[in-house]
């Protein structure tokens, strides 16, 4: 009887092997689905989903192997299934927050130490067991995994809190060069011709993929100056901000703050082509140009001397933009109908058309420059 009681204390298999595997796989699939659909901190581009699935499968398999022999219970089931998702989230946040790096490294050391102490204490009671090494490893892994899950959870919550607080990197000092003429071209310093060597870096042959964050932002700031000159917004240039935007959102323009925000993840971390990034930037710059048109229309209306011009056909688009800005539709719920209504707005259609045409023009001039170089 005493031997049986000792054996019961060692073996904590409260769930049958078949049920354990079935529960494990079901919960893991559900967690991955819910995470991607509702809780992912970062937008997922290209092979990010593949990386996530590899991490989940690898860690899930490891947790399953460590669990089914001696510690098959609800605690091991839950900790084993959430570990891969938490680990993937922590990997995504790792390089952005120094505090999280410390939490993960120190937490891992502490979790391992606690696991070893826990296993050593448990092992003292069973000196006559022949496979003591196996028991020690599983007990240590069991305790360490639970502690590290808590560490990962705290790290992920901290990271999400920072992102929710709009943790961003701003580049507000974009100097629009107001100068004299060079070669009889007004504002020559802000033309594409004067900056073609810098702008050419958005091409794969120009090295976009290998540029540092400072080099990429310098290219983007140069394009902002070029576009402001071309569109006639020569009084100033908007600020540029790289921030962690919600999934699927690549850029936005805040006319009250005069700030263009691009997705940090898309510009810096993804494998997106430089031309695609410029397309997003030109789209948001055109929204600024639309706001200028609305401001012009409102200024014309405010004066008794000029309000007779407010209904001119040349200002027709400005009137449409004004109405749509007052009742702007954004695809917040992610539904097909919401996105259709969003993309049907003239604000978005004109901005997208301009962005496509601008990017095509940049491509042609850059390719010509690189071929002649």
């Amino acid at each position: 009887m005493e031997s049986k009681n000792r054996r019961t204390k060692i073996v904590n298999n409260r769930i049958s092997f078949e049920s354990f595997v079935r529960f494990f796989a079901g919960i893991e699939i559900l967690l991955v689905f819910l995470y991607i659909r509702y809780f992912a901190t970062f937008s997922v581009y290209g092979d990010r989903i593949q990386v996530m699935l590899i991490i989940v499968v690898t860690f899930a398999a490891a947790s399953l192997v460590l669990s089914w022999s001696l510690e098959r219970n609800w605690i091991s089931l839950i900790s084993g299934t959430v570990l891969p998702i938490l680990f993937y989230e922590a990997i995504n946040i790792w390089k952005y927050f120094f505090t999280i790096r410390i939490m993960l490294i120190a937490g891992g050391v502490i979790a391992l130490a606690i696991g070893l102490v826990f296993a050593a204490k448990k092992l003292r009671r069973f000196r006559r067991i022949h496979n003591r090494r196996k028991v020690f490893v599983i007990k240590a892994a069991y305790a360490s995994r639970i502690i590290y899950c808590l560490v990962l959870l705290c790290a992920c919550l901290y990271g999400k809190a920072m992102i929710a607080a709009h943790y961003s990197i701003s580049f507000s000092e974009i100097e629009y060069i107001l100068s004299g003429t060079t070669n009889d071209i007004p504002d020559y310093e802000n033309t594409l011709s004067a900056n073609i060597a810098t702008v050419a870096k958005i091409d794969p042959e120009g090295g976009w993929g290998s540029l540092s964050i400072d080099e990429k932002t310098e290219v983007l700031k140069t394009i902002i100056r070029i576009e402001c000159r071309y569109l006639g917004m020569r009084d100033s240039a908007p600020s540029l901000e790289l921030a962690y935007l919600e999934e699927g959102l690549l850029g936005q323009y805040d006319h009250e703050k005069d700030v263009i925000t691009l997705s940090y993840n898309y510009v810096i971390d993804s494998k997106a082509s430089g031309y695609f990034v410029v397309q997003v930037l030109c789209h948001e710059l055109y929204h600024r140009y639309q706001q200028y048109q609305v401001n012009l229309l409102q200024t014309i209306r405010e004066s008794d001397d000029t309000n007779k011009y407010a209904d001119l056909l040349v200002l027709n688009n400005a009137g449409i933009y004004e109405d749509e800005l007052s009742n702007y539709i954004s695809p917040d719920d992610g539904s097909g109908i919401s996105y259709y209504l969003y993309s049907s707005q003239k604000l978005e259609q004109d901005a997208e058309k301009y962005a496509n045409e601008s990017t095509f023009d940049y491509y042609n001039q850059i390719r010509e420059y690189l071929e002649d170089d």
Side-chain angles (χ1 to χ4, degrees), residues 191-344:
T191 63
L192 177 57
S193 299
N195 297 279
I196 187 66
T198 299
V199 175
K201 294 177 182 179
I202 68 175
D203 192 89
E205 292 185 14
W208 175 261
S210 60
L211 297 182
S212 67
I213 181 174
D214 291 334
E215 291 171 328
K216 284 185 176 182
T217 51
E218 185 60 36
V219 173
L220 296 178
K221 289 192 290 185
T222 300
I223 291 175
I224 287 177
R225 291 193 292 104
I226 293 170
E227 289 296 312
C228 284
R229 175 193 178 278
Y230 178 76
L231 291 170
M233 302 181 292
R234 303 187 183 187
D235 60 321
S236 64
S239 297
L240 173 65
E241 184 173 85
L242 302 184
Y244 301 111
L245 302 179
E246 62 186 69
E247 183 176 358
L249 183 59
L250 304 183
Q252 60 187 18
Y253 172 64
D254 186 334
H255 70 89
E256 294 182 354
K257 298 179 180 178
D258 197 20
V259 174
I260 290 176
T261 304
L262 300 183
S263 167
Y264 186 105
N265 213 41
Y266 189 66
V267 176
I268 304 302
D269 291 335
S270 76
K271 296 180 180 179
S273 165
Y275 289 108
F276 290 151
V277 174
V278 169
Q279 185 180 29
V280 176
L281 178 60
C282 288
H283 181 107
E284 301 307 328
L285 278 164
Y286 199 77
H287 282 324
R288 186 182 194 243
Y289 176 63
Q290 291 169 332
Q291 186 63 52
Y292 265 60
Q293 293 180 64
V294 172
N295 294 343
L296 172 62
L297 177 60
Q298 292 173 345
T299 301
I300 290 174
R301 284 188 189 139
E302 290 171 358
S303 172
D304 293 336
D305 295 331
T306 59
N307 60 10
K308 62 183 177 181
Y309 304 119
D311 293 326
L312 289 177
L313 182 61
V314 71
L315 297 172
N316 184 58
N317 284 346
I320 297 175
Y321 296 153
E322 183 181 37
D323 292 338
E324 290 185 345
L325 284 170
S326 300
N327 304 279
Y328 187 73
I329 302 171
S330 58
D332 294 330
D333 60 2
S335 67
I337 294 177
S338 176
Y339 184 79
Y340 173 76
L341 294 174
Y342 157 79
S343 59
S344 297

Side-chain angles (χ1 to χ4, degrees), residues 27-83:
I27 294 176
E28 198 66 67
I29 292 172
L30 178 63
L31 284 174
V32 170
F33 172 78
L34 292 176
Y35 175 81
I36 293 176
R37 183 68 180 85
Y38 297 108
F39 302 107
T41 298
F42 301 101
S43 302
V44 180
Y45 302 98
D47 59 358
R48 283 289 183 91
I49 285 188
Q50 297 177 8
V51 172
M52 177 183 180
L53 292 178
I54 291 173
I55 290 176
V56 167
V57 170
T58 302
F59 274 77
S63 293
L64 194 60
V65 169
L66 290 172
S67 298
W68 76 44
S69 179
L70 295 179
E71 292 292 346
R72 201 160 61 231
N73 54 58
W74 286 105
I75 295 178
S76 63
L77 175 67
I78 298 301
S79 64
T81 50
V82 300
L83 180 64

